[in-house]
Amino acid sequence: MLKIRKTFVTGFSMLAVLSMVITGCGSSTSSAPATTGSEQATTDTQSKDSGQDQRVEGGTVRVAMATEPDNLDPYLSAATDTSSMMDNVFDGLFEAGENSELVPAIAESYQVSADGLTYTFKIRNGIKFHDGSDLTAEDVQYSYAKLSGLNGKEPLSAKFAAIEKMETPDDFTVVVKLKEKDAAFLAANIVAIVPKDYEKQSEKPIGAGPFKFASYTPGQQLVLERNDQFYDQKKKPALERVEFKIMPDSNASVLAMQSGDIDMIPGISDQGAKQLGGGFQIVSGPQNMVQLMALNNSVKPLDDVRVRQAINYAINKDVIIQTVAEGNGVKLGSNMSPAMKRYYQEGLTERYQTDVEKAKALLKEAGYEKGFKLAITVPSNYTFHVDTAQVIAEQLKAVGIAAEIKQIEWSSWLEDVYNNAKYEATIIGLTGKLDPHEVLGRFETTYRKNFYKFSNAAFDDLVNRGRTEVDEAKRADLYKEAQTILTEQAVAVFIMDPSRSVALKENLHGFKMYPVQKYDFAAMYFSTK
Amino acid sequence: MRWNQLVRNKLFIIGGCLIAVLLGLMVTSLFYTPYGPNDMNTAMRLAPPQASHWFGTDNFGRDIFSRIMEGTQTSFVIGIASVAIGLVIGLLIGAIAGYWGGWLDEILMRVIDAMLAFPGILLAIMLVSVFGPGFGNTIVALGIMSVPAFARIARSGFIQYKEFAFVKAAIARGAGSLRIITHHILPNITSPLIVASTMRFSGSILAEAGLSYLGLGVQPPDPSWGRMLKEAQPFIIAAPWYVFITGALITAMVLGFNLLGDGIRDGYDLKR
């Protein structure tokens, strides 16, 4: 009878699930008020501030984080989630601004020589690290030597490879000389500055940011405390403590927020926001990601531009945004999100209006009147991309392309698709960067991880000129033209920038969206309500 | 086993009815489903159950009833094929180990013990991760997963029956080993094997659902109940019927086969 009892247990747990569903339904009848667009959201909170709500000094904000930090050392960590937490502990010469501009932080000012090779940074006076020691030019030199490999060890970041040598004429000046012109170098200076000869960053990180590292309990939480010695009085944090609770289960974090155990969920799903119900703020905006279906431009029949264009005509991006992202995504036309305001080329989204007849005509022209088979490889851990693949497979059927979805593990995806370009089509999201070169340089012929196998002389020329162009306006034009080439050549199907949604407690204010994943707790505060 | 005894067994009847209904759904789905199981109608996303969509629609606007119907094929094919693999290999190993005994028995049974040391689903996950996900590999992995159960049952049967007088008589008459195994012992151990098969059948279906839930089994967009349960999970608030219907059907199928197996076993017990 043992088997029978087992099945009864299954039956009872089904019932338990059912009753949970019913109670869940009752409490979420009203939908959350959602604001779209970051600017709108900030103005919204500001207007609230001017009301009777009072700004409170102090308080603890508890944040649900889905992943465990991979390494507390800012130079050894690769995970975006980790850096978005630790960014509050570390400051760089610059900080990323809301409009992908660079905001001076540790550096007071900078100068670039006429040949674009020498950068002179002026360091702000009187900055103290969390251990009480002074931050001087020596620390900057030590940090950059570590990153660039000038200390004789393995370089820790490719972005600093262009550094030829560094000098510190006085305690508050750093002169960096590059091997060749590199306009993307400036944006790299948002990286953390660490105290000289301190090698225990992985255990007890020490930086100069607005918050101090307090403790980290694996599997439970990471705690930051306010840095009362913070150098920038105008940006002095109001919050006393930030507790990042590790909660891998998204349903659990929503329930915790409802019961008041959590004040903020960064990256809440659309379904989660719906489940949360009223009484919370949901801020959403573009996250500067490019979700695309990459096409391997070197395999048949995708080596024919007409076939790639036909695929672009066959796919209806609006339907994907509606079904997969619940409408919370911005349609793209090229490999640049509108979050990169200064570099975004308008109008490319209209290049391929969904048109099945046109797609069929192009396929016929290319000699694939009867269609062909297409394998779409997707990393199985990203439901978002797997779902997108299902919609695309269905849409491609209409023009005679039989798409087969192949789910593979993330590590095999990195190995086979990203490193070795062994695939036909794949769906992936490219995370945002501050500098347009980092975004568009991925398509350069010589780029090591150019897994699109795209090669176009005009494009290469444009991004190379962009790399060395120091004039901002001219540089933006070059990258805009490069985007147009990507669209015309139909290198990939550029789908959308899925919005990032953040859930906040109603009396938590000052949250800002950035073109990179960044949560600036120094600007956030509670109000009395 | 007597048929009229089975018919009087309530468990057998309930289990039989459940499986008959699902079998009926599967056979129908070979010729007809109300909608194409992969056809998307984005205007009708997450629609609740209604006259035109009996079980509602999923997040892509696909008809859940049609997908459930199509999914029965996946479940039955994977169940039958993997039990067949497990039965053949398990019987072979059990027969060799039980009939000849000695060091061969030791070696084979220690291998089986090693396989039993892993929880079945973990073994299947390992095999699928090595050979890659997909329909065929899922069947093979689940088949290998059921080998130990069949091998142990077959071995104990062979050990028991090879000492019986009729087997000794056959040996004395000069019958070959193969003839003794297939004609004298095998017919006597079919009943426990049939019971084990029905039980393993439900185990395989559940394991397939589990693997597909983890994204390792049947690949999208082909419907599988496990995959559907996974896809339904984020919409547990917006579309509770989706997750409930899928979960209830998996439960019904597993329950049906378990009851069927219990009924058959009770029938055999009466005979003794």
Side-chain angles (χ1 to χ4, degrees):
Chain A
M1 277 334 272
L2 189 75
K3 282 282 171 184
I4 289 258
R5 226 173 283 141
K6 237 191 210 166
T7 48
F8 277 143
V9 171
T10 334
F12 280 129
S13 43
M14 269 310 302
L15 277 181
V17 168
L18 183 66
S19 57
M20 257 171 55
V21 169
I22 292 166
T23 45
C25 265
S27 62
S28 67
T29 38
S30 62
S31 66
T35 35
T36 326
S38 53
E39 282 163 85
Q40 217 177 321
T42 31
T43 47
D44 188 38
T45 40
Q46 269 160 9
S47 64
K48 257 184 207 158
D49 305 342
S50 54
Q52 67 270 53
D53 290 352
Q54 285 295 306
R55 180 186 165 112
V56 176
E57 287 293 319
T60 301
V61 62
R62 294 153 302 174
V63 186
M65 293 301 291
T67 58
E68 192 86 29
D70 58 339
N71 196 324
L72 298 178
D73 187 328
Y75 296 167
L76 300 179
S77 155
T80 322
D81 268 359
T82 309
S83 61
S84 66
M85 289 188 262
M86 297 309 286
D87 179 61
N88 292 287
V89 173
F90 296 102
D91 266 10
L93 292 184
F94 302 109
E95 289 287 298
E98 283 174 273
N99 300 318
S100 61
E101 78 277 27
L102 294 170
V103 181
I106 288 174
E108 207 166 46
S109 62
Y110 74 97
Q111 274 183 331
V112 190
S113 63
D115 61 0
L117 286 176
T118 312
Y119 288 72
T120 310
F121 298 101
K122 264 282 186 234
I123 308 296
R124 205 188 276 246
N125 254 321
I127 301 181
K128 282 195 189 310
F129 280 116
H130 298 154
D131 60 354
S133 60
D134 290 317
L135 190 157
T136 61
E138 292 242 308
D139 299 298
V140 178
Q141 192 180 21
Y142 167 80
S143 301
Y144 280 18
K146 248 182 140 172
L147 290 164
S148 61
L150 282 181
N151 60 355
K153 296 199 187 119
E154 186 84 357
L156 295 174
S157 166
K159 291 179 210 167
F160 291 85
I163 298 183
E164 192 186 356
K165 61 174 181 179
M166 285 178 288
E167 279 160 27
T168 49
D170 63 64
D171 267 3
F172 297 101
T173 310
V174 182
V175 182
V176 178
K177 218 172 143 24
L178 302 185
K179 288 173 200 152
E180 53 182 350
K181 262 213 261 184
D182 185 356
F185 172 70
L186 205 57
N189 291 298
I190 57 168
V191 78
I193 299 297
V194 297
K196 195 183 172 195
D197 296 330
Y198 180 73
E199 299 292 347
K200 284 193 183 155
Q201 291 289 3
S202 294
E203 289 127 65
K204 194 178 185 328
I206 290 181
F211 286 89
K212 286 192 268 199
F213 170 82
S215 69
Y216 167 50
T217 323
Q220 289 182 21
Q221 61 177 0
L222 189 151
V223 181
L224 307 182
E225 274 166 5
R226 181 167 60 193
N227 172 16
D228 290 319
Q229 316 272 286
F230 189 56
Y231 58 87
D232 193 339
Q233 286 303 310
K234 270 179 277 169
K235 289 181 185 163
K236 230 180 94 183
L239 295 167
E240 198 162 335
R241 255 167 94 87
V242 183
E243 294 175 3
F244 296 100
K245 308 276 187 193
I246 317 291
M247 301 184 117
D249 182 41
S250 58
N251 282 323
S253 51
V254 169
L255 291 174
M257 183 124 183
Q258 276 174 331
S259 64
D261 295 333
I262 288 291
D263 305 308
M264 172 176 169
I265 307 176
I268 191 170
S269 70
D270 307 306
Q271 286 301 320
K274 226 178 242 175
Q275 195 181 336
L276 203 52
F280 299 95
Q281 309 173 54
I282 306 283
V283 183
S284 59
Q287 57 174 319
N288 191 17
M289 180 191 259
V290 175
Q291 190 210 18
L292 48 72
M293 179 164 86
L295 303 170
N296 190 336
N297 286 212
S298 66
V299 297
K300 269 198 181 325
L302 301 173
D303 54 350
D304 190 326
V305 65
R306 288 169 299 192
V307 173
R308 299 197 300 263
Q309 286 178 336
I311 292 175
N312 267 285
Y313 276 119
I315 289 171
N316 187 337
K317 297 169 190 171
D318 292 316
V319 169
I320 299 174
I321 295 170
Q322 281 309 319
T323 50
V324 182
E326 302 278 331
N328 292 323
V330 181
K331 187 156 93 169
L332 298 181
S334 189
N335 197 61
M336 185 73 72
S337 157
M340 297 281 284
K341 293 177 186 88
R342 280 191 292 170
Y343 303 103
Y344 175 71
Q345 172 67 52
E346 302 268 348
L348 294 178
T349 47
E350 305 310 315
R351 173 62 176 83
Y352 300 103
Q353 301 272 17
T354 314
D355 189 338
V356 172
E357 290 316 311
K358 218 168 189 168
K360 278 184 179 164
L362 277 164
L363 282 178
K364 192 175 170 184
E365 220 182 291
Y368 293 96
E369 201 179 348
K370 290 193 185 117
F372 54 90
K373 267 190 169 167
L374 179 72
I376 306 179
T377 313
V378 275
S380 58
N381 55 328
Y382 288 104
T383 318
F384 195 85
H385 300 320
V386 178
D387 283 356
T388 307
Q390 295 202 47
V391 181
I392 287 181
E394 191 62 23
Q395 292 176 345
L396 289 179
K397 222 189 263 172
V399 296
I401 300 174
E404 180 207 359
I405 299 169
K406 262 171 60 188
Q407 282 190 96
I408 58 172
E409 232 201 325
W410 180 233
S411 53
S412 344
W413 187 90
L414 285 173
E415 180 61 23
D416 294 354
V417 180
Y418 194 57
N419 290 339
N420 294 319
K422 278 191 279 185
Y423 75 105
E424 287 178 19
T426 187
I427 297 173
I428 198 66
L430 304 172
T431 44
K433 301 282 177 311
L434 269 190
D435 191 85
H437 194 84
E438 289 181 73
V439 181
L440 292 170
R442 301 176 198 257
F443 292 86
E444 215 180 330
T445 311
T446 49
Y447 185 66
R448 211 154 39 88
K449 302 282 172 65
N450 176 351
F451 66 100
Y452 322 92
K453 294 282 157 202
F454 175 65
S455 180
N456 183 299
F459 180 86
D460 289 354
D461 179 54
L462 282 169
V463 287
N464 265 316
R465 272 157 60 201
R467 193 181 170 83
T468 48
E469 178 60 65
V470 191
D471 183 277
E472 269 304 318
K474 275 189 203 152
R475 188 161 182 250
D477 284 341
L478 290 170
Y479 286 117
K480 280 181 182 172
E481 213 180 317
Q483 288 167 52
T484 314
I485 293 184
L486 291 183
T487 309
E488 281 306 321
Q489 290 293 315
V491 182
V493 182
F494 303 99
I495 306 170
M496 67 169 127
D497 179 2
S499 301
R500 184 205 311 281
S501 295
V502 178
L504 302 156
K505 215 173 168 179
E506 224 168 10
N507 62 337
L508 185 59
H509 307 284
F511 176 79
K512 288 183 209 145
M513 281 274 186
Y514 291 91
V516 287
Q517 186 179 330
K518 172 176 166 176
Y519 310 121
D520 185 7
F521 288 99
M524 289 170 71
Y525 59 92
F526 282 110
S527 68
T528 55
K529 198 178 68 161
Chain B
M1 169 172 56
R2 267 155 285 168
W3 180 248
N4 49 10
Q5 257 168 1
L6 269 185
V7 179
R8 259 182 270 136
N9 186 325
K10 272 197 198 114
L11 294 181
F12 181 81
I13 296 298
I14 298 171
C17 288
L18 279 174
I19 299 307
V21 169
L22 293 170
L23 213 57
L25 270 185
M26 188 202 85
V27 174
T28 319
S29 75
L30 292 174
F31 310 102
Y32 169 79
T33 51
Y35 297 84
N38 295 332
D39 289 355
M40 295 178 182
N41 176 4
T42 42
M44 281 281 280
R45 295 182 60 236
L46 297 172
Q50 52 194 272
S52 56
H53 296 278
W54 288 4
F55 289 173
T57 59
D58 70 2
N59 52 321
F60 298 105
R62 299 180 295 202
D63 182 46
I64 294 177
F65 185 58
S66 303
R67 289 179 69 73
I68 289 281
M69 284 178 75
E70 195 82 2
T72 49
Q73 293 180 22
T74 315
S75 292
F76 275 106
V77 169
I78 286 186
I80 291 170
S82 67
V83 167
I85 291 175
L87 183 66
V88 169
I89 301 178
L91 189 60
L92 209 65
I93 293 176
I96 292 169
Y99 187 75
W100 279 289
W103 58 271
L104 207 56
D105 181 28
E106 280 298 320
I107 292 174
L108 287 172
M109 281 304 114
R110 290 304 80 79
V111 172
I112 295 293
D113 285 346
M115 284 171 78
L116 276 174
F118 296 100
I121 186 81
L122 203 65
L123 192 71
I125 289 175
M126 189 192 80
L127 289 168
V128 171
S129 317
V130 172
F131 298 113
F135 200 80
N137 286 344
T138 308
I139 291 176
V140 173
L142 296 179
I144 293 174
M145 178 183 134
S146 14
V147 164
F150 287 115
R152 291 211 80 96
I153 290 167
R155 175 179 173 267
S156 66
F158 272 88
I159 286 177
Q160 191 189 347
Y161 279 98
K162 78 173 178 190
E163 302 301 331
F164 272 57
F166 68 89
V167 175
K168 297 241 150 121
I171 295 172
R173 218 171 54 221
S177 296
L178 192 66
R179 188 175 167 79
I180 291 169
I181 289 174
T182 53
H183 280 71
H184 296 280
I185 302 181
L186 203 54
N188 283 299
I189 60 166
T190 44
S191 44
L193 284 176
I194 289 174
V195 175
S197 296
T198 48
M199 298 292 190
R200 288 306 319 162
F201 203 101
S202 63
S204 286
I205 288 170
L206 201 59
E208 184 274 320
L211 281 181
S212 297
Y213 182 85
L214 296 173
L216 294 168
V218 178
Q219 295 300 289
D222 292 334
S224 136
W225 292 0
R227 263 202 65 76
M228 290 175 71
L229 197 61
K230 178 198 174 81
E231 288 181 348
Q233 192 191 336
F235 305 99
I236 191 162
I237 298 301
W241 58 87
Y242 186 11
V243 69
F244 175 70
I245 288 169
T246 322
L249 274 158
I250 295 174
T251 312
M253 189 166 235
V254 172
L255 186 68
F257 274 105
N258 275 349
L259 291 177
L260 210 62
D262 276 342
I264 295 173
R265 194 187 50 202
D266 290 353
Y268 281 122
D269 284 348
L270 280 174
K271 186 186 147 200
R272 285 231 179 97

